[in-house]
Amino acid sequence: MQLQQLKQITQHYHLNENGILAEKMPFSEIPCALLYGQALTFTQVTDFAHNFSARVLGAFIEGDYLAVILQADFPLNARLVANEMSLDFAFLNYQAQLSQKGLLLMDMDSTMIQMECIDEIAKLAGTGEEVSAITASAMRGELDFEQSLRRRVGTLKNAPESILQQVRAHLPLMPGLEKMLKTLQQYGWKIAIASGGFDYFADFLKEKLQLDFAVANQFQIENGRLTGNLFGAIVDSQFKAQTLQALQEKWQIPATQTVAIGDGANDLPMLALANLGAAFHAKPKVQQKAQVVVNFADLSALVCLLRATEKLQQYQQ
């Protein structure tokens, strides 16, 4: 079905066999954007393009997604219009490309995995409702992250370390994560975790997924039980942003090849610092401020976003 839709788009918009604008035209300062989805149809493309008087520059298939690059003076509500069609939309205002080595820094809870670890731990410790309320408020940016974190961890005092093992044994990976990681690793990307969660899980995922680096908060554990305290520095929003910068310098990655993905308010500084900052199925406050928002696609959409800049470069040649 995707190939059939691509052929329709290619024929209707006079694109060549590679889905690229057939007639070379001078590029203007008018911005370009990406419209993509697993079930993107020819009709949706034509309706969207007509609605914004957009020029279709090209179309391509990347993994499970059909993607179209358009050029127009899009208003800020263009993403909302796309979302109403159950499609994702992103301005191509970043330079990061898939085929060049880069750095991806990811949040963990509710980004790499389909849970908030502290919530699952608290359920086993009998403090689930209390911790969930604090977590939700913190992720909305209503509470200072460090204070809320210490409050949540404090509820776990005297809980056995074995409950951490129970949670770690059943970490549900986010759809598209492994596919996305495999593709980036094939192109030599460095991939790291910076989590406001806990190293008990981040280090485990680093080893399991063969990532390059992980940093997270550390539980203080004595005699096989949680003390209700944390050990070492707190991985908060500024710590995450500093980690991105430090890893970029350590691995000598160009600033234009830095990418960050997260979903919570404490991810905003690192999203803002990266060349491509993507809010993945994020909280409303994060969606309002993020450069790129992914609401419908899974994590493999990052490959589509990185491929789009390469396609756009081809159109401009």
Side-chain angles (χ1 to χ4, degrees):
M1 179 60 74
Q2 284 181 330
L3 185 58
Q4 186 177 24
Q5 299 288 359
L6 178 61
K7 288 180 178 178
Q8 280 187 283
I9 295 169
T10 299
Q11 293 168 1
H12 184 82
Y13 290 101
H14 306 292
L15 309 179
N16 65 23
E17 65 275 8
N18 295 316
I20 299 173
L21 188 65
E23 295 183 11
K24 293 296 180 182
M25 299 173 67
F27 260 70
S28 65
E29 295 300 317
I30 298 174
C32 296
L34 185 70
L35 181 71
Y36 63 102
Q38 287 186 318
L40 176 60
T41 67
F42 170 73
T43 300
Q44 287 176 317
V45 173
T46 54
D47 287 348
F48 192 85
H50 177 75
N51 190 31
F52 296 106
S53 299
R55 180 162 62 125
V56 174
L57 301 181
F60 62 97
I61 294 174
E62 181 62 48
D64 296 330
Y65 299 96
L66 175 59
V68 177
I69 295 179
L70 307 106
Q71 187 176 41
D73 281 318
F74 290 105
L76 293 178
N77 73 336
R79 176 168 59 84
L80 299 179
V81 174
N83 286 178
E84 289 174 357
M85 303 165 70
S86 298
L87 299 171
D88 283 304
F89 173 91
F91 285 103
L92 296 178
N93 55 2
Y94 53 91
Q95 293 78 44
Q97 297 186 13
L98 179 63
S99 60
Q100 298 181 28
K101 292 183 180 180
L103 165 64
L104 169 62
L105 185 62
M106 302 185 71
D107 174 47
M108 179 177 65
D109 294 56
S110 297
T111 299
M112 293 181 66
I113 56 176
Q114 301 179 71
M115 68 160 69
E116 293 287 330
C117 289
I118 186 68
D119 290 357
E120 301 306 312
I121 296 166
K123 289 177 185 177
L124 296 176
T127 61
E129 291 186 5
E130 181 181 357
V131 166
S132 290
I134 299 171
T135 298
S137 184
M139 294 299 284
R140 290 193 299 268
E142 298 170 354
L143 293 175
D144 172 79
F145 177 77
E146 180 174 350
Q147 290 180 336
S148 67
L149 178 66
R150 292 189 184 280
R151 282 177 55 188
R152 286 176 286 177
V153 172
T155 71
L156 306 177
K157 186 176 181 180
N158 293 323
E161 182 182 359
S162 60
I163 65 175
L164 303 183
Q165 298 169 0
Q166 291 180 55
V167 173
R168 190 172 64 183
H170 301 93
L171 295 179
L173 299 182
M174 195 66 74
L177 173 66
E178 291 179 289
K179 182 185 295 185
M180 179 263 287
L181 294 177
K182 181 179 179 181
T183 302
L184 292 184
Q185 288 167 336
Q186 288 174 344
Y187 284 97
W189 278 62
K190 295 289 188 179
I191 303 170
I193 300 171
S195 173
F198 306 98
D199 63 347
Y200 204 92
F201 311 102
D203 290 345
F204 172 78
L205 289 174
K206 173 182 174 289
E207 295 303 317
K208 177 179 180 178
L209 300 171
Q210 298 182 319
L211 307 184
D212 300 286
F213 180 84
V215 64
N217 297 300
Q218 302 177 59
F219 283 119
Q220 186 181 72
I221 302 173
E222 295 180 355
N223 301 318
R225 291 190 172 273
L226 280 67
T227 67
N229 296 315
L230 292 166
F231 177 80
I234 299 298
V235 180
D236 59 10
S237 60
Q238 292 307 314
F239 195 109
K240 289 188 176 191
Q242 290 165 4
T243 298
L244 179 69
Q245 187 170 22
L247 293 179
Q248 177 201 337
E249 294 172 357
K250 175 183 177 180
W251 290 321
Q252 298 184 319
I253 304 293
T256 52
Q257 283 295 113
T258 56
V259 179
I261 303 178
D263 75 301
N266 65 327
D267 296 315
L268 283 170
M270 77 171 182
L271 297 185
L273 184 62
N275 181 258
L276 168 55
F280 179 72
H281 296 200
K283 309 301 182 291
K285 179 181 178 180
V286 183
Q287 294 203 25
Q288 292 170 9
K289 297 185 177 181
Q291 174 190 14
V292 171
V293 175
V294 180
N295 279 328
F296 299 96
D298 65 25
L299 281 173
S300 67
L302 179 63
V303 179
C304 190
L305 290 165
L306 293 172
R307 187 77 75 184
T309 48
E310 295 182 349
K311 294 290 185 180
L312 183 59
Q313 190 175 60
Q314 294 175 26
Y315 308 155
Q316 294 173 321
Q317 290 175 349

